[in-house]
Amino acid sequence: MTMNTYTQWLNLDFDPFVPGAKSRDFYCSGQRQNLLDQIVEFSLYSNAMIAVIGPLGAGKTTLATNFCDRFADEAVCVKVAAALFMSQSQFLETLQDALGFKPMGSSDSNSSIEQICRYAAELDLEASSLILIIDDAHELSDEVLHLLTKLLVSCVDSSIHALLFGENQLDSLLQSTLTIDAKERIAVFPLDGFASEETQEYIRFKLATARFTKELPIDSGIVGAIHKSSHGMPGAINSLVVDALNAAAPVSEPDEFADIAPIYSGD
C-alpha cells in the first residue's frame, strides 16, 4: 500500500506514526519519566559519563531530542551523530562545528580539547554547563572513546558532561575499551519497552497529537498482539499500528464514472 488510508478515515492532521512525524510531543510513561529524572540528575550534577542503551526502535533518539529541548535554557546541549570509522579528528571537527567554533588550523587534539574546556569553563561561571549528546554511540571507535574520556577529565568538574545513546552493545564496548578509572565514572541506564497498558496509552497519545481523541479505532485484542510482537518498543509499535489501522479502515467505493469524460453538445 503506497499511502496510509487511515489518515483520511480518522481525519488526522498528519500521520503520527511515520518517522519524523510533525508532532514534537513526547510520550513519557511512568517508567521512562523515572529514567529521564535519573539521567537529568547525573547529567547536571555529576561528572559521570552516562550511557542510555536499548535496541533499535527503543526511542533513544526521541529521548535525546526531548532532553535537548527540555534543558535548552539550563545548559548548552550539543548533539553529535556518531558514525562508523569516525576518527578522533573527525569527531573533534564535528563537535567544534556544532559549537560554532572557527577552525583552529591545527590538527593537534590537545589544542581542540583546550578550546572546548575553556568554553565549558566560561559556561560554568554563568551557572551553566556543556552537555555532549552522542547518538548511535555504539558506532564510536576505541580511539574516539578514549578521546572523549580525556575531554571529560581535562575540563573542570561539572562543566562538561557526556550523554551517550546507543544500542545494547555500547555497554560491552565501554567496559572493554575504557580504563578502570573511566569505567568508575560510567552510569548505564537500559531503555526498556513499554508495559502492556503503556503500549495502549502510547497509541492513544500518538493519535491525540494528530487531533484524534475518540475511542481507539482498533480493539484491545489487536493492541495486545501489537504489544506482544513489538515487545513494547515504540519503533515496532508504530509500524504495527500503521498496518492495523490500514486494515481497519473502510474500503472506499470506486467511482464508476471517474474515468468518463464529459460530453458536450452543440457548437
Side-chain angles (χ1 to χ4, degrees):
M1 185 173 294
T2 56
M3 65 173 293
N4 293 326
T5 58
Y6 65 83
T7 53
Q8 287 186 320
W9 170 44
L10 301 178
N11 196 29
L12 302 180
D13 284 358
F14 59 90
D15 188 343
F17 297 105
V18 297
K22 297 176 185 177
S23 172
R24 294 181 64 85
D25 292 330
F26 177 69
Y27 174 74
C28 203
S29 65
Q31 176 195 30
R32 293 193 173 205
Q33 184 60 57
N34 291 336
L35 172 64
L36 186 57
D37 291 343
Q38 287 181 294
I39 293 172
V40 169
E41 184 72 21
F42 275 84
S43 297
L44 298 180
Y45 308 112
S46 81
N47 61 354
M49 180 190 295
I50 302 151
V52 179
I53 60 172
L56 185 67
K60 300 180 295 295
T61 300
T62 303
L63 186 64
T65 301
N66 177 262
F67 185 93
C68 288
D69 293 343
R70 181 173 171 180
F71 295 99
D73 295 333
E74 300 178 38
V76 174
C77 298
V78 179
K79 283 185 70 176
V80 174
L84 206 58
F85 308 121
M86 177 182 270
S87 66
Q88 287 188 350
S89 60
Q90 288 171 328
F91 177 81
L92 283 171
E93 286 171 8
T94 302
L95 179 54
Q96 290 171 306
D97 185 58
L99 289 168
F101 292 169
K102 294 181 179 179
M104 297 188 63
S106 169
S107 58
D108 179 20
S109 63
N110 290 328
S111 300
S112 298
I113 288 174
E114 288 175 9
Q115 181 188 34
I116 295 168
C117 285
R118 282 197 301 272
Y119 176 69
E122 291 170 4
L123 291 176
D124 191 51
L125 292 174
E126 299 171 3
S128 185
S129 59
L130 175 61
I131 301 179
L132 310 182
I133 298 178
I134 304 172
D135 205 6
D136 293 328
H138 57 276
E139 295 191 349
L140 291 175
S141 64
D142 293 359
E143 67 172 24
V144 173
L145 283 173
H146 287 306
L147 174 73
L148 185 59
T149 302
K150 183 178 180 180
L151 177 61
L152 294 176
V153 171
S154 300
C155 293
V156 177
D157 281 353
S158 79
S159 67
I160 185 169
H161 314 275
L163 183 51
L164 281 59
F165 290 85
E167 295 183 21
N168 292 327
Q169 61 264 36
L170 173 61
D171 188 16
S172 57
L173 175 64
L174 292 170
Q175 295 299 329
S176 63
T177 302
L178 301 184
T179 64
I180 294 175
D181 289 341
K183 283 189 283 191
E184 289 178 352
R185 298 176 60 186
I186 298 173
V188 179
F189 298 94
L191 190 58
D192 299 320
F194 296 136
S196 178
E197 65 277 6
E198 291 174 339
T199 295
Q200 179 165 311
E201 287 306 311
Y202 170 76
I203 297 170
R204 197 186 308 276
F205 172 87
K206 294 288 281 186
L207 286 169
T209 64
R211 290 210 303 181
F212 181 87
T213 56
K214 301 176 183 177
E215 287 298 314
L216 283 182
I218 49 179
D219 64 40
S220 58
I222 294 176
V223 173
I226 288 173
H227 172 75
K228 186 175 181 180
S229 295
S230 66
H231 303 289
M233 293 298 170
I237 292 172
N238 291 346
S239 179
L240 292 168
V241 169
V242 166
D243 292 339
L245 289 175
N246 277 329
V251 178
S252 58
E253 292 294 330
D255 185 350
E256 58 184 316
F257 301 109
D259 296 327
I260 301 177
I263 299 173
Y264 298 95
S265 61
D267 293 333

